[in-house]
Amino acid sequence: MFSILLVFLIIDAVLMIGLILLQKSEGSGMSGSSAASMFGGALSGAAAGNFLTRATAWLATIFFVLCAALAFVASKMNVEAQQSDLRTEIIMQENAAPAADIPADAPKAE
């Protein structure tokens, strides 16, 4: 389960990076002399920007949900591992101390 969620998280992150890089920057920055700014944004449609913004928001939401799910699964795995370690420790203690069950007045084997 952890591996499947991790693969989906990586895919989501890669898609989100791609969508963010495709979006038009809001600041003028170094793109002030680009062809898109010369033509008043006629080369890049507003509908494309709106779709990219919505898709990025959805991917970000999915990213946070997957992060929360991974944290939950990891904590469950950690609790199960601790319980398993505790069981192992109890079994080892029971096997290591059988002399405590022998009465003190019992004859000793030589």
Side-chain angles (χ1 to χ4, degrees):
M1 182 69 169
F2 186 82
S3 300
I4 294 170
L5 288 174
L6 189 60
V7 168
F8 283 135
L9 183 74
I10 292 170
I11 291 170
D12 183 55
V14 169
L15 290 174
M16 194 164 44
I17 289 169
L19 282 178
I20 290 170
L21 290 175
L22 286 174
Q23 292 180 19
K24 178 183 171 188
S25 66
E26 294 296 325
S28 61
M30 293 185 65
S31 66
S33 63
S34 69
S37 65
M38 283 186 210
F39 295 110
L43 296 178
S44 62
N50 193 17
F51 168 74
L52 291 175
T53 304
R54 287 185 182 178
T56 304
W58 276 105
L59 285 175
T61 303
I62 292 169
F63 184 84
F64 286 117
V65 169
L66 286 173
C67 285
L70 275 170
F72 178 74
V73 170
S75 70
K76 291 292 264 185
M77 289 172 52
N78 191 18
V79 167
E80 290 172 0
Q82 287 176 352
Q83 288 175 348
S84 175
D85 290 345
L86 184 61
R87 286 187 200 119
T88 304
E89 185 178 329
I90 290 171
I91 290 170
M92 288 177 65
Q93 286 177 355
E94 288 175 353
N95 291 338
D101 296 336
I102 300 173
D105 58 345
K108 294 183 181 182
E110 291 184 34

